[in-house]
Amino acid sequence: MYDRSALVDAARKAGDTTPAAAARRLRIPRNTAWRLWHGRTAPSARTLAAVEAAYGLRASTLLEPSSEAA
């Protein structure tokens, strides 16, 4: 499960108050940043690496194991 609030909080602390600002910092498409910001999609491995580099958030902070049985 993806925790969008952790990303939004970290982005705002870094001065990125909109999905477009986060897209510029992360160097990802604006539509992808919008989907991440609003919780419509989970980040890819590349995006997780960019988030860690830009905001210092580890992947384990953003992603939690699903409670659903496999």
Short mmCIF file of all heavy atoms in Angstrom, two decimals:
data_model
loop_
_atom_site.label_atom_id
_atom_site.label_comp_id
_atom_site.label_asym_id
_atom_site.label_seq_id
_atom_site.Cartn_x
_atom_site.Cartn_y
_atom_site.Cartn_z
N MET A 1 0.84 -1.18 0.00
CA MET A 1 0.00 0.00 0.00
C MET A 1 0.88 1.24 0.00
O MET A 1 1.86 1.32 0.74
CB MET A 1 -0.88 -0.04 1.25
CG MET A 1 -1.88 1.05 1.30
SD MET A 1 -3.44 0.22 1.25
CE MET A 1 -4.49 1.37 0.61
N TYR A 2 0.53 2.20 -0.80
CA TYR A 2 1.28 3.45 -0.95
C TYR A 2 0.71 4.52 -0.03
O TYR A 2 -0.48 4.77 -0.02
CB TYR A 2 1.21 3.88 -2.42
CG TYR A 2 1.59 5.30 -2.69
CD1 TYR A 2 2.85 5.77 -2.36
CD2 TYR A 2 0.70 6.18 -3.28
CE1 TYR A 2 3.21 7.09 -2.61
CE2 TYR A 2 1.05 7.48 -3.54
CZ TYR A 2 2.30 7.93 -3.21
OH TYR A 2 2.65 9.23 -3.46
N ASP A 3 1.59 5.17 0.76
CA ASP A 3 1.19 6.23 1.68
C ASP A 3 1.49 7.58 1.05
O ASP A 3 2.61 8.08 1.16
CB ASP A 3 1.92 6.06 3.01
CG ASP A 3 1.55 7.13 4.03
OD1 ASP A 3 0.59 7.88 3.79
OD2 ASP A 3 2.22 7.20 5.06
N ARG A 4 0.52 8.16 0.40
CA ARG A 4 0.73 9.43 -0.30
C ARG A 4 1.00 10.58 0.66
O ARG A 4 1.69 11.54 0.32
CB ARG A 4 -0.44 9.76 -1.21
CG ARG A 4 -1.66 10.24 -0.48
CD ARG A 4 -2.72 10.78 -1.42
NE ARG A 4 -3.65 11.60 -0.70
CZ ARG A 4 -3.49 12.90 -0.47
NH1 ARG A 4 -2.44 13.54 -0.90
NH2 ARG A 4 -4.39 13.58 0.21
N SER A 5 0.47 10.51 1.87
CA SER A 5 0.64 11.61 2.82
C SER A 5 2.10 11.83 3.18
O SER A 5 2.53 12.97 3.39
CB SER A 5 -0.20 11.39 4.07
OG SER A 5 0.21 10.24 4.75
N ALA A 6 2.89 10.76 3.24
CA ALA A 6 4.31 10.90 3.54
C ALA A 6 5.02 11.65 2.41
O ALA A 6 5.86 12.52 2.67
CB ALA A 6 4.95 9.53 3.74
N LEU A 7 4.67 11.34 1.17
CA LEU A 7 5.26 12.05 0.04
C LEU A 7 4.86 13.52 0.04
O LEU A 7 5.71 14.40 -0.10
CB LEU A 7 4.84 11.40 -1.28
CG LEU A 7 5.29 12.14 -2.54
CD1 LEU A 7 6.80 12.08 -2.68
CD2 LEU A 7 4.62 11.58 -3.77
N VAL A 8 3.60 13.80 0.23
CA VAL A 8 3.11 15.18 0.22
C VAL A 8 3.76 15.99 1.34
O VAL A 8 4.20 17.12 1.13
CB VAL A 8 1.57 15.22 0.29
CG1 VAL A 8 1.07 16.64 0.46
CG2 VAL A 8 0.97 14.59 -0.96
N ASP A 9 3.85 15.42 2.53
CA ASP A 9 4.48 16.11 3.66
C ASP A 9 5.94 16.43 3.37
O ASP A 9 6.40 17.55 3.62
CB ASP A 9 4.37 15.28 4.94
CG ASP A 9 2.97 15.22 5.50
OD1 ASP A 9 2.12 16.07 5.10
OD2 ASP A 9 2.70 14.33 6.32
N ALA A 10 6.67 15.45 2.86
CA ALA A 10 8.09 15.67 2.56
C ALA A 10 8.25 16.71 1.45
O ALA A 10 9.15 17.56 1.51
CB ALA A 10 8.74 14.35 2.15
N ALA A 11 7.39 16.65 0.44
CA ALA A 11 7.47 17.61 -0.65
C ALA A 11 7.21 19.03 -0.14
O ALA A 11 7.93 19.97 -0.49
CB ALA A 11 6.47 17.25 -1.75
N ARG A 12 6.21 19.18 0.69
CA ARG A 12 5.88 20.51 1.22
C ARG A 12 7.01 21.04 2.10
O ARG A 12 7.32 22.23 2.05
CB ARG A 12 4.57 20.46 1.98
CG ARG A 12 3.39 20.33 1.04
CD ARG A 12 2.07 20.44 1.75
NE ARG A 12 1.00 20.44 0.74
CZ ARG A 12 -0.20 19.95 0.94
NH1 ARG A 12 -0.51 19.43 2.11
NH2 ARG A 12 -1.10 19.99 -0.02
N LYS A 13 7.64 20.19 2.89
CA LYS A 13 8.77 20.62 3.71
C LYS A 13 9.93 21.09 2.86
O LYS A 13 10.71 21.95 3.26
CB LYS A 13 9.22 19.49 4.63
CG LYS A 13 8.27 19.25 5.77
CD LYS A 13 8.71 18.08 6.62
CE LYS A 13 7.65 17.78 7.68
NZ LYS A 13 7.97 16.56 8.43
N ALA A 14 10.06 20.52 1.66
CA ALA A 14 11.12 20.91 0.73
C ALA A 14 10.72 22.12 -0.12
O ALA A 14 11.51 22.59 -0.94
CB ALA A 14 11.49 19.74 -0.18
N GLY A 15 9.49 22.60 0.05
CA GLY A 15 9.03 23.77 -0.69
C GLY A 15 8.21 23.47 -1.92
O GLY A 15 7.83 24.38 -2.66
N ASP A 16 7.92 22.21 -2.16
CA ASP A 16 7.11 21.82 -3.32
C ASP A 16 5.66 21.71 -2.87
O ASP A 16 5.28 20.75 -2.21
CB ASP A 16 7.59 20.49 -3.90
CG ASP A 16 8.99 20.57 -4.44
OD1 ASP A 16 9.45 21.68 -4.77
OD2 ASP A 16 9.64 19.52 -4.54
N THR A 17 4.86 22.70 -3.20
CA THR A 17 3.48 22.74 -2.72
C THR A 17 2.45 22.26 -3.73
O THR A 17 1.26 22.23 -3.41
CB THR A 17 3.12 24.17 -2.28
OG1 THR A 17 3.28 25.05 -3.39
CG2 THR A 17 3.99 24.62 -1.12
N THR A 18 2.89 21.89 -4.90
CA THR A 18 1.99 21.40 -5.93
C THR A 18 2.59 20.15 -6.59
O THR A 18 3.80 19.95 -6.54
CB THR A 18 1.76 22.45 -7.04
OG1 THR A 18 3.01 22.69 -7.70
CG2 THR A 18 1.21 23.75 -6.46
N PRO A 19 1.75 19.34 -7.22
CA PRO A 19 2.28 18.20 -7.95
C PRO A 19 3.26 18.62 -9.05
O PRO A 19 4.25 17.93 -9.29
CB PRO A 19 1.03 17.54 -8.55
CG PRO A 19 -0.08 17.94 -7.65
CD PRO A 19 0.27 19.32 -7.18
N ALA A 20 3.01 19.76 -9.69
CA ALA A 20 3.90 20.22 -10.75
C ALA A 20 5.29 20.54 -10.21
O ALA A 20 6.30 20.24 -10.86
CB ALA A 20 3.31 21.44 -11.44
N ALA A 21 5.35 21.13 -9.03
CA ALA A 21 6.65 21.42 -8.42
C ALA A 21 7.39 20.13 -8.07
O ALA A 21 8.60 20.01 -8.28
CB ALA A 21 6.46 22.29 -7.18
N ALA A 22 6.66 19.16 -7.57
CA ALA A 22 7.26 17.86 -7.27
C ALA A 22 7.75 17.19 -8.55
O ALA A 22 8.83 16.58 -8.56
CB ALA A 22 6.26 16.97 -6.55
N ALA A 23 6.99 17.31 -9.61
CA ALA A 23 7.39 16.72 -10.89
C ALA A 23 8.72 17.31 -11.36
O ALA A 23 9.60 16.58 -11.83
CB ALA A 23 6.31 16.96 -11.95
N ARG A 24 8.87 18.61 -11.23
CA ARG A 24 10.13 19.25 -11.64
C ARG A 24 11.29 18.74 -10.80
O ARG A 24 12.35 18.39 -11.33
CB ARG A 24 10.03 20.76 -11.53
CG ARG A 24 9.24 21.40 -12.65
CD ARG A 24 9.35 22.91 -12.64
NE ARG A 24 8.75 23.51 -11.45
CZ ARG A 24 7.47 23.79 -11.30
NH1 ARG A 24 6.63 23.52 -12.29
NH2 ARG A 24 7.02 24.34 -10.19
N ARG A 25 11.10 18.66 -9.49
CA ARG A 25 12.19 18.21 -8.60
C ARG A 25 12.53 16.74 -8.85
O ARG A 25 13.70 16.37 -8.85
CB ARG A 25 11.81 18.42 -7.15
CG ARG A 25 12.98 18.10 -6.21
CD ARG A 25 12.61 18.29 -4.76
NE ARG A 25 12.18 19.63 -4.44
CZ ARG A 25 12.96 20.57 -3.92
NH1 ARG A 25 14.23 20.32 -3.67
NH2 ARG A 25 12.46 21.76 -3.63
N LEU A 26 11.51 15.92 -9.05
CA LEU A 26 11.73 14.48 -9.23
C LEU A 26 12.07 14.11 -10.67
O LEU A 26 12.46 12.97 -10.94
CB LEU A 26 10.48 13.71 -8.80
CG LEU A 26 10.08 13.86 -7.33
CD1 LEU A 26 8.76 13.14 -7.08
CD2 LEU A 26 11.18 13.34 -6.41
N ARG A 27 11.88 15.07 -11.57
CA ARG A 27 12.11 14.83 -13.01
C ARG A 27 11.25 13.68 -13.53
O ARG A 27 11.72 12.73 -14.16
CB ARG A 27 13.58 14.58 -13.29
CG ARG A 27 14.42 15.78 -12.96
CD ARG A 27 15.85 15.57 -13.28
NE ARG A 27 16.58 16.77 -12.89
CZ ARG A 27 17.86 16.93 -13.03
NH1 ARG A 27 18.58 15.97 -13.56
NH2 ARG A 27 18.44 18.04 -12.64
N ILE A 28 9.95 13.81 -13.22
CA ILE A 28 8.97 12.85 -13.71
C ILE A 28 7.87 13.63 -14.42
O ILE A 28 7.74 14.84 -14.21
CB ILE A 28 8.37 11.99 -12.58
CG1 ILE A 28 7.65 12.86 -11.54
CG2 ILE A 28 9.45 11.14 -11.92
CD1 ILE A 28 6.91 12.08 -10.46
N PRO A 29 7.08 12.99 -15.27
CA PRO A 29 5.98 13.69 -15.94
C PRO A 29 4.99 14.28 -14.93
O PRO A 29 4.75 13.71 -13.86
CB PRO A 29 5.31 12.61 -16.78
CG PRO A 29 6.36 11.57 -16.98
CD PRO A 29 7.19 11.59 -15.71
N ARG A 30 4.42 15.43 -15.28
CA ARG A 30 3.47 16.09 -14.39
C ARG A 30 2.26 15.23 -14.09
O ARG A 30 1.75 15.23 -12.98
CB ARG A 30 3.02 17.44 -14.96
CG ARG A 30 4.07 18.49 -14.86
CD ARG A 30 3.59 19.84 -15.26
NE ARG A 30 2.63 19.81 -16.35
CZ ARG A 30 1.88 20.83 -16.71
NH1 ARG A 30 1.99 21.98 -16.10
NH2 ARG A 30 1.04 20.72 -17.71
N ASN A 31 1.78 14.48 -15.09
CA ASN A 31 0.61 13.64 -14.84
C ASN A 31 0.94 12.51 -13.86
O ASN A 31 0.11 12.14 -13.03
CB ASN A 31 0.00 13.09 -16.14
CG ASN A 31 0.95 12.22 -16.91
OD1 ASN A 31 2.16 12.33 -16.80
ND2 ASN A 31 0.39 11.36 -17.74
N THR A 32 2.15 11.99 -13.90
CA THR A 32 2.57 10.98 -12.93
C THR A 32 2.64 11.59 -11.54
O THR A 32 2.18 10.99 -10.56
CB THR A 32 3.92 10.38 -13.33
OG1 THR A 32 3.80 9.78 -14.61
CG2 THR A 32 4.40 9.35 -12.31
N ALA A 33 3.20 12.78 -11.44
CA ALA A 33 3.28 13.46 -10.14
C ALA A 33 1.89 13.73 -9.58
O ALA A 33 1.66 13.56 -8.39
CB ALA A 33 4.06 14.76 -10.28
N TRP A 34 0.97 14.12 -10.45
CA TRP A 34 -0.41 14.37 -9.99
C TRP A 34 -1.01 13.09 -9.44
O TRP A 34 -1.63 13.09 -8.38
CB TRP A 34 -1.26 14.91 -11.14
CG TRP A 34 -2.63 15.31 -10.70
CD1 TRP A 34 -3.03 16.54 -10.31
CD2 TRP A 34 -3.78 14.46 -10.57
NE1 TRP A 34 -4.36 16.52 -9.94
CE2 TRP A 34 -4.85 15.25 -10.10
CE3 TRP A 34 -4.02 13.11 -10.81
CZ2 TRP A 34 -6.12 14.74 -9.86
CZ3 TRP A 34 -5.28 12.60 -10.58
CH2 TRP A 34 -6.32 13.41 -10.11
N ARG A 35 -0.83 11.96 -10.15
CA ARG A 35 -1.39 10.69 -9.68
C ARG A 35 -0.77 10.26 -8.36
O ARG A 35 -1.46 9.75 -7.48
CB ARG A 35 -1.21 9.61 -10.75
CG ARG A 35 -2.10 9.83 -11.97
CD ARG A 35 -2.17 8.62 -12.89
NE ARG A 35 -0.88 8.05 -13.22
CZ ARG A 35 -0.16 8.38 -14.30
NH1 ARG A 35 -0.60 9.28 -15.14
NH2 ARG A 35 0.99 7.79 -14.53
N LEU A 36 0.53 10.47 -8.20
CA LEU A 36 1.19 10.15 -6.93
C LEU A 36 0.68 11.05 -5.81
O LEU A 36 0.39 10.59 -4.71
CB LEU A 36 2.71 10.33 -7.06
CG LEU A 36 3.44 9.30 -7.91
CD1 LEU A 36 4.87 9.76 -8.15
CD2 LEU A 36 3.41 7.95 -7.24
N TRP A 37 0.59 12.34 -6.08
CA TRP A 37 0.17 13.34 -5.09
C TRP A 37 -1.23 13.03 -4.56
O TRP A 37 -1.51 13.21 -3.39
CB TRP A 37 0.19 14.71 -5.76
CG TRP A 37 0.11 15.88 -4.82
CD1 TRP A 37 -1.02 16.47 -4.35
CD2 TRP A 37 1.20 16.64 -4.29
NE1 TRP A 37 -0.71 17.54 -3.56
CE2 TRP A 37 0.66 17.67 -3.50
CE3 TRP A 37 2.58 16.54 -4.41
CZ2 TRP A 37 1.45 18.59 -2.84
CZ3 TRP A 37 3.36 17.46 -3.76
CH2 TRP A 37 2.80 18.48 -2.98
N HIS A 38 -2.10 12.57 -5.46
CA HIS A 38 -3.49 12.30 -5.09
C HIS A 38 -3.77 10.83 -4.77
O HIS A 38 -4.92 10.46 -4.53
CB HIS A 38 -4.42 12.80 -6.19
CG HIS A 38 -4.38 14.29 -6.34
ND1 HIS A 38 -5.00 15.13 -5.47
CD2 HIS A 38 -3.73 15.07 -7.24
CE1 HIS A 38 -4.76 16.39 -5.82
NE2 HIS A 38 -3.99 16.37 -6.88
N GLY A 39 -2.72 10.01 -4.76
CA GLY A 39 -2.87 8.61 -4.39
C GLY A 39 -3.54 7.73 -5.42
O GLY A 39 -4.10 6.69 -5.09
N ARG A 40 -3.49 8.13 -6.67
CA ARG A 40 -4.14 7.35 -7.74
C ARG A 40 -3.24 6.23 -8.27
O ARG A 40 -3.69 5.36 -8.99
CB ARG A 40 -4.53 8.25 -8.91
CG ARG A 40 -5.46 9.37 -8.56
CD ARG A 40 -6.86 8.84 -8.28
NE ARG A 40 -7.85 9.90 -8.33
CZ ARG A 40 -8.34 10.48 -7.25
NH1 ARG A 40 -7.95 10.11 -6.06
NH2 ARG A 40 -9.24 11.43 -7.37
N THR A 41 -1.94 6.29 -7.96
CA THR A 41 -1.00 5.28 -8.40
C THR A 41 0.12 5.17 -7.39
O THR A 41 0.35 6.10 -6.61
CB THR A 41 -0.44 5.61 -9.81
OG1 THR A 41 0.29 4.50 -10.31
CG2 THR A 41 0.48 6.82 -9.78
N ALA A 42 0.81 4.05 -7.41
CA ALA A 42 1.97 3.86 -6.54
C ALA A 42 3.23 4.19 -7.35
O ALA A 42 3.24 4.06 -8.58
CB ALA A 42 2.03 2.43 -6.05
N PRO A 43 4.29 4.62 -6.69
CA PRO A 43 5.50 4.98 -7.41
C PRO A 43 6.24 3.76 -7.95
O PRO A 43 6.23 2.69 -7.35
CB PRO A 43 6.35 5.70 -6.35
CG PRO A 43 5.82 5.23 -5.05
CD PRO A 43 4.38 4.90 -5.26
N SER A 44 6.89 3.96 -9.08
CA SER A 44 7.74 2.92 -9.66
C SER A 44 9.07 2.90 -8.91
O SER A 44 9.35 3.79 -8.08
CB SER A 44 8.00 3.24 -11.14
OG SER A 44 8.78 4.43 -11.24
N ALA A 45 9.90 1.93 -9.21
CA ALA A 45 11.22 1.85 -8.58
C ALA A 45 12.05 3.09 -8.91
O ALA A 45 12.74 3.64 -8.04
CB ALA A 45 11.94 0.59 -9.04
N ARG A 46 11.98 3.57 -10.13
CA ARG A 46 12.72 4.77 -10.54
C ARG A 46 12.23 5.98 -9.76
O ARG A 46 13.02 6.80 -9.29
CB ARG A 46 12.55 5.00 -12.04
CG ARG A 46 13.24 6.25 -12.54
CD ARG A 46 12.85 6.57 -14.00
NE ARG A 46 13.34 7.85 -14.41
CZ ARG A 46 12.74 9.00 -14.18
NH1 ARG A 46 11.61 9.04 -13.52
NH2 ARG A 46 13.26 10.14 -14.60
N THR A 47 10.93 6.10 -9.62
CA THR A 47 10.36 7.23 -8.89
C THR A 47 10.71 7.15 -7.40
O THR A 47 11.02 8.16 -6.78
CB THR A 47 8.84 7.30 -9.09
OG1 THR A 47 8.58 7.42 -10.49
CG2 THR A 47 8.24 8.48 -8.36
N LEU A 48 10.70 5.95 -6.84
CA LEU A 48 11.10 5.79 -5.45
C LEU A 48 12.54 6.24 -5.23
O LEU A 48 12.85 6.90 -4.23
CB LEU A 48 10.94 4.33 -5.00
CG LEU A 48 9.52 3.86 -4.75
CD1 LEU A 48 9.48 2.35 -4.55
CD2 LEU A 48 8.91 4.58 -3.56
N ALA A 49 13.41 5.92 -6.18
CA ALA A 49 14.80 6.36 -6.08
C ALA A 49 14.89 7.89 -6.15
O ALA A 49 15.66 8.51 -5.41
CB ALA A 49 15.64 5.72 -7.18
N ALA A 50 14.10 8.50 -7.02
CA ALA A 50 14.09 9.95 -7.14
C ALA A 50 13.55 10.61 -5.88
O ALA A 50 14.08 11.63 -5.42
CB ALA A 50 13.27 10.38 -8.36
N VAL A 51 12.53 10.02 -5.28
CA VAL A 51 11.96 10.54 -4.04
C VAL A 51 12.99 10.47 -2.92
O VAL A 51 13.17 11.42 -2.15
CB VAL A 51 10.67 9.78 -3.65
CG1 VAL A 51 10.25 10.09 -2.22
CG2 VAL A 51 9.55 10.11 -4.62
N GLU A 52 13.70 9.35 -2.84
CA GLU A 52 14.72 9.22 -1.81
C GLU A 52 15.83 10.25 -1.99
O GLU A 52 16.28 10.88 -1.03
CB GLU A 52 15.30 7.81 -1.79
CG GLU A 52 16.27 7.60 -0.65
CD GLU A 52 16.68 6.16 -0.44
OE1 GLU A 52 16.13 5.26 -1.10
OE2 GLU A 52 17.55 5.93 0.41
N ALA A 53 16.25 10.46 -3.23
CA ALA A 53 17.31 11.44 -3.50
C ALA A 53 16.85 12.87 -3.23
O ALA A 53 17.61 13.67 -2.68
CB ALA A 53 17.79 11.29 -4.94
N ALA A 54 15.62 13.18 -3.61
CA ALA A 54 15.14 14.56 -3.50
C ALA A 54 14.62 14.91 -2.11
O ALA A 54 14.85 16.02 -1.62
CB ALA A 54 14.03 14.80 -4.53
N TYR A 55 13.92 13.98 -1.49
CA TYR A 55 13.25 14.28 -0.22
C TYR A 55 13.79 13.49 0.97
O TYR A 55 13.39 13.73 2.10
CB TYR A 55 11.75 14.02 -0.34
CG TYR A 55 11.06 14.83 -1.41
CD1 TYR A 55 10.23 14.21 -2.33
CD2 TYR A 55 11.23 16.20 -1.50
CE1 TYR A 55 9.58 14.95 -3.31
CE2 TYR A 55 10.58 16.94 -2.47
CZ TYR A 55 9.77 16.30 -3.37
OH TYR A 55 9.12 17.04 -4.34
N GLY A 56 14.64 12.51 0.71
CA GLY A 56 15.20 11.71 1.80
C GLY A 56 14.26 10.67 2.36
O GLY A 56 14.52 10.12 3.43
N LEU A 57 13.18 10.37 1.66
CA LEU A 57 12.23 9.35 2.11
C LEU A 57 12.63 7.99 1.54
O LEU A 57 12.81 7.85 0.34
CB LEU A 57 10.82 9.66 1.62
CG LEU A 57 10.05 10.74 2.34
CD1 LEU A 57 8.70 10.92 1.68
CD2 LEU A 57 9.88 10.41 3.80
N ARG A 58 12.73 7.02 2.39
CA ARG A 58 13.04 5.66 1.94
C ARG A 58 11.78 5.00 1.39
O ARG A 58 10.67 5.36 1.77
CB ARG A 58 13.61 4.86 3.08
CG ARG A 58 14.92 5.42 3.60
CD ARG A 58 15.45 4.59 4.73
NE ARG A 58 15.63 3.21 4.33
CZ ARG A 58 16.81 2.67 3.97
NH1 ARG A 58 17.88 3.41 4.01
NH2 ARG A 58 16.88 1.42 3.61
N ALA A 59 11.98 4.03 0.54
CA ALA A 59 10.85 3.30 -0.05
C ALA A 59 9.98 2.66 1.02
O ALA A 59 8.75 2.65 0.92
CB ALA A 59 11.35 2.24 -1.02
N SER A 60 10.60 2.18 2.09
CA SER A 60 9.84 1.53 3.15
C SER A 60 8.91 2.51 3.87
O SER A 60 7.93 2.10 4.49
CB SER A 60 10.77 0.86 4.16
OG SER A 60 11.64 1.83 4.74
N THR A 61 9.21 3.81 3.80
CA THR A 61 8.34 4.81 4.39
C THR A 61 7.09 5.02 3.53
O THR A 61 6.01 5.26 4.06
CB THR A 61 9.09 6.16 4.52
OG1 THR A 61 10.27 5.94 5.29
CG2 THR A 61 8.23 7.21 5.19
N LEU A 62 7.26 4.94 2.23
CA LEU A 62 6.15 5.17 1.31
C LEU A 62 5.30 3.94 1.05
O LEU A 62 4.11 4.05 0.78
CB LEU A 62 6.66 5.70 -0.03
CG LEU A 62 7.27 7.09 -0.01
CD1 LEU A 62 7.82 7.43 -1.38
CD2 LEU A 62 6.26 8.11 0.42
N LEU A 63 5.92 2.79 1.10
CA LEU A 63 5.22 1.55 0.76
C LEU A 63 5.14 0.65 1.97
O LEU A 63 6.13 0.41 2.64
CB LEU A 63 5.95 0.81 -0.36
CG LEU A 63 6.10 1.57 -1.67
CD1 LEU A 63 6.95 0.74 -2.64
CD2 LEU A 63 4.75 1.88 -2.28
N GLU A 64 3.94 0.18 2.25
CA GLU A 64 3.74 -0.78 3.32
C GLU A 64 3.20 -2.07 2.71
O GLU A 64 2.43 -2.01 1.75
CB GLU A 64 2.74 -0.24 4.34
CG GLU A 64 3.22 1.00 5.05
CD GLU A 64 2.20 1.52 6.04
OE1 GLU A 64 1.26 0.79 6.37
OE2 GLU A 64 2.38 2.65 6.49
N PRO A 65 3.61 -3.21 3.26
CA PRO A 65 3.11 -4.48 2.70
C PRO A 65 1.58 -4.52 2.79
O PRO A 65 0.99 -4.04 3.75
CB PRO A 65 3.71 -5.54 3.59
CG PRO A 65 4.83 -4.88 4.31
CD PRO A 65 4.51 -3.41 4.36
N SER A 66 0.98 -5.09 1.78
CA SER A 66 -0.46 -5.25 1.76
C SER A 66 -0.87 -6.28 2.80
O SER A 66 -0.19 -7.27 3.02
CB SER A 66 -0.91 -5.70 0.38
OG SER A 66 -2.29 -5.94 0.37
N SER A 67 -2.01 -6.06 3.42
CA SER A 67 -2.49 -7.00 4.43
C SER A 67 -3.29 -8.14 3.79
O SER A 67 -3.74 -9.04 4.48
CB SER A 67 -3.36 -6.28 5.44
OG SER A 67 -4.47 -5.69 4.81
N GLU A 68 -3.45 -8.09 2.47
CA GLU A 68 -4.20 -9.14 1.77
C GLU A 68 -3.36 -10.40 1.69
O GLU A 68 -2.15 -10.36 1.52
CB GLU A 68 -4.55 -8.69 0.35
CG GLU A 68 -5.47 -7.49 0.34
CD GLU A 68 -5.74 -7.02 -1.08
OE1 GLU A 68 -5.38 -7.73 -2.03
OE2 GLU A 68 -6.31 -5.94 -1.23
N ALA A 69 -4.00 -11.54 1.78
CA ALA A 69 -3.30 -12.81 1.65
C ALA A 69 -2.96 -13.05 0.19
O ALA A 69 -3.71 -12.69 -0.71
CB ALA A 69 -4.18 -13.94 2.17
N ALA A 70 -1.83 -13.65 -0.04
CA ALA A 70 -1.37 -13.91 -1.41
C ALA A 70 -2.05 -15.11 -2.01
O ALA A 70 -2.52 -15.97 -1.42
CB ALA A 70 0.12 -14.12 -1.43
#
